[in-house]
Amino acid sequence: MGALVSGCASCVASCCGSCLGAGCCMCLRNACSCGKGGRLSRLPYMSVFAVSVLFMIAMRYWFNQDFVVDLFLFDFQLCSSSRCAGNEMVYRISFTMFLFFLVHALMMMAPSCTFIHKRAWGVKIVLLIVVTVLVLWIDNSFFDLYSLIARFASFIFLLLQVVLLIDLGYRWDEAWGDRDRKWLYALLFSSVALYAGSITISVFGIGHQTTDGSCDRNKFLWAWVIILAIVTTVISGTAWCDHGRLIPSGVVTLYAFFLTYYGLLDDTSECNDLKRTSTFPLLVGLLFGATTTFYVGWSISTSSALFGVPSDDDANVEEDETFPEDDGDAETGGVQLSAVGASKVDADDDGGDDMTEDARSKNMKFHWIMVFASMYFAMLVTAWDSNTDSSEFAKDMDSETMWIKITSAWFAMLLYLWTLVAPMLLPDRFEFMNND
């Protein structure tokens, strides 16, 4: 009987929630709009996110005082420095962006609310400001929990970033490789620069993170990622792997070496003589994060197909999301997890309220990626909430953070290795590569 009542109550609550949600959607539909479709509809989101990251950095490194509002007759303290400065303010901004993109991702799951992706920007900006002010009153203990959740959610974003960087590397090589000779020289120069950066990071990391004679673990971690880099580079240059390219190899190698160096910064043993207060990891992390975040926003048709086998429709219908190319024929010059570069633009979204199921899926994935990006950038700006105390909990968290980054580096190399060998091991699975 209790189960029956519970089921009926759930049904009624679900119906009421659906009606309420539909009513809210209809109200917002008539609010101010930003009616451009396709990739332009995601440009405002990327702009808001970029401003929020800059705000995080400013509040983390250059602001350390109370917020006081002068109301003529009296002063009103909006927030104390214990909440509005340093890491605590970074988490508040991150949480605001987390909620912003989470609401959009959930609303995109309902076909009747897809218009919210392009419309109601006046309402969005006002609500964003209001929520940013409201979170100032949330106790710091809540954001201690949020930072813990963000730490592990950032691991998911790092894995997504690996997939996106591999995809970007292949498309980069395609876009330049199919042009005239000067672009081939540009490809060669870029490949040399990527590997030069990788070698510089590895030499610097090995020199400062294996200083003690008993640092066998750190030596192994560096040796392992270097071996993987050599193996993938050699395979990508052999005739056996005719789809291999130096650009994606260089991108993945640089990223894996950086993650290894970045991860070993959290090593609290005598092996590591580097300080985590250096701005170098922040700058490089911001570069990789910004590249992948704006790439997925600008070319979501690629990222939306990253997690599956390309369908027949992907070769014909796109939402104006392809990588820019000069000629009309887009040929696949390398294996991509999404048959990257095999599509042509037929028509862009017309800017209306309705969108196709394919466009809804792409935009929903964009918002979910931005949910994880909001938490990842909080970790990046706060140096993964590095503690200066010597408590056992702090040491455990440093160790977990180190292995999150190291594991992501291994995942990057092994996933890229799989893209190289999979077409030879499973030729039937990758027949789309030979269709042209």
Side-chain angles (χ1 to χ4, degrees), residues 150-166 255-256 258-260 262-263 266 284-286 288-289 292 369 372-373 375-377 379-380 384 400-413 415:
R151 183 186 302 271
F152 293 101
S154 297
F155 178 61
I156 298 176
F157 182 79
L158 285 174
L159 299 184
L160 292 172
Q161 191 166 244
V162 168
V163 179
L164 292 168
L165 284 173
I166 294 175
Y255 183 66
F258 167 71
L259 283 181
T260 303
Y262 195 19
D266 295 299
V284 178
L286 286 173
F288 278 117
T292 53
I369 291 175
F372 290 102
M375 293 185 279
Y376 169 73
F377 274 87
M379 289 289 101
L380 189 63
W384 292 75
E400 291 174 0
T401 300
M402 181 189 77
W403 284 109
I404 285 175
K405 299 171 187 175
I406 295 295
T407 305
S408 299
W410 293 354
F411 179 78
M413 298 304 303
L415 180 62

Side-chain angles (χ1 to χ4, degrees), residues 55 59 67 83-93 136:
F55 192 31
M59 301 303 291
F67 273 137
R83 294 188 181 186
C84 294
N87 290 359
E88 300 303 332
M89 189 60 182
V90 171
Y91 291 135
R92 282 168 168 80
I93 301 170
L136 298 178

Side-chain angles (χ1 to χ4, degrees), residues 5-225:
V5 173
S6 176
C8 292
S10 300
C11 182
V12 172
S14 176
C15 292
C16 292
S18 299
C19 293
L20 179 60
C24 292
C25 289
M26 291 301 295
C27 291
L28 287 173
R29 179 185 293 272
N30 297 319
C32 54
S33 66
C34 180
K36 290 295 183 180
R39 61 179 59 159
L40 292 179
S41 68
R42 291 183 291 273
L43 186 58
Y45 294 99
M46 293 185 286
S47 300
V48 169
F49 186 76
V51 171
S52 70
V53 172
L54 293 177
F55 192 31
M56 288 183 197
I57 297 173
M59 301 303 291
R60 169 65 176 83
Y61 291 99
W62 296 300
F63 192 90
N64 189 19
Q65 60 186 12
D66 297 345
F67 273 137
V68 178
V69 179
D70 186 3
L71 296 180
F72 300 105
L73 298 179
F74 61 92
D75 291 335
F76 174 70
Q77 181 171 306
L78 182 62
C79 189
S80 64
S81 59
S82 63
R83 294 188 181 186
C84 294
N87 290 359
E88 300 303 332
M89 189 60 182
V90 171
Y91 291 135
R92 282 168 168 80
I93 301 170
S94 169
F95 183 65
T96 301
M97 299 309 300
F98 165 80
L99 292 177
F100 179 71
F101 287 109
L102 179 63
V103 169
H104 280 83
L106 294 176
M107 294 189 74
M108 291 299 295
M109 297 175 68
S112 61
C113 292
T114 55
F115 71 91
I116 197 65
H117 174 74
K118 294 179 290 184
R119 301 181 70 88
W121 268 103
V123 177
K124 292 177 186 178
I125 295 299
V126 171
L127 290 177
L128 197 58
I129 296 173
V130 170
V131 173
T132 302
V133 174
L134 290 178
V135 297
L136 298 178
W137 278 281
I138 300 179
D139 191 72
N140 286 349
S141 60
F142 172 81
F143 291 101
D144 291 339
L145 175 62
Y146 176 75
S147 67
L148 183 63
I149 297 173
R151 183 186 302 271
F152 293 101
S154 297
F155 178 61
I156 298 176
F157 182 79
L158 285 174
L159 299 184
L160 292 172
Q161 191 166 244
V162 168
V163 179
L164 292 168
L165 284 173
I166 294 175
D167 189 60
L168 174 60
Y170 278 121
R171 290 180 65 86
W172 179 3
D173 187 272
E174 283 182 14
W176 289 11
D178 293 337
R179 302 184 181 184
D180 54 30
R181 182 179 297 273
K182 66 180 181 180
W183 289 100
L184 294 178
Y185 288 131
L187 272 180
L188 179 60
F189 174 80
S190 300
S191 301
V192 172
L194 290 170
Y195 278 101
S198 303
I199 294 172
T200 301
I201 292 176
S202 63
V203 170
F204 185 78
I206 293 172
H208 291 275
Q209 295 171 331
T210 60
T211 55
D212 195 305
S214 59
C215 300
D216 293 336
R217 183 195 63 183
N218 290 11
K219 292 176 181 177
F220 166 76
L221 293 176
W222 270 114
W224 174 239
V225 74

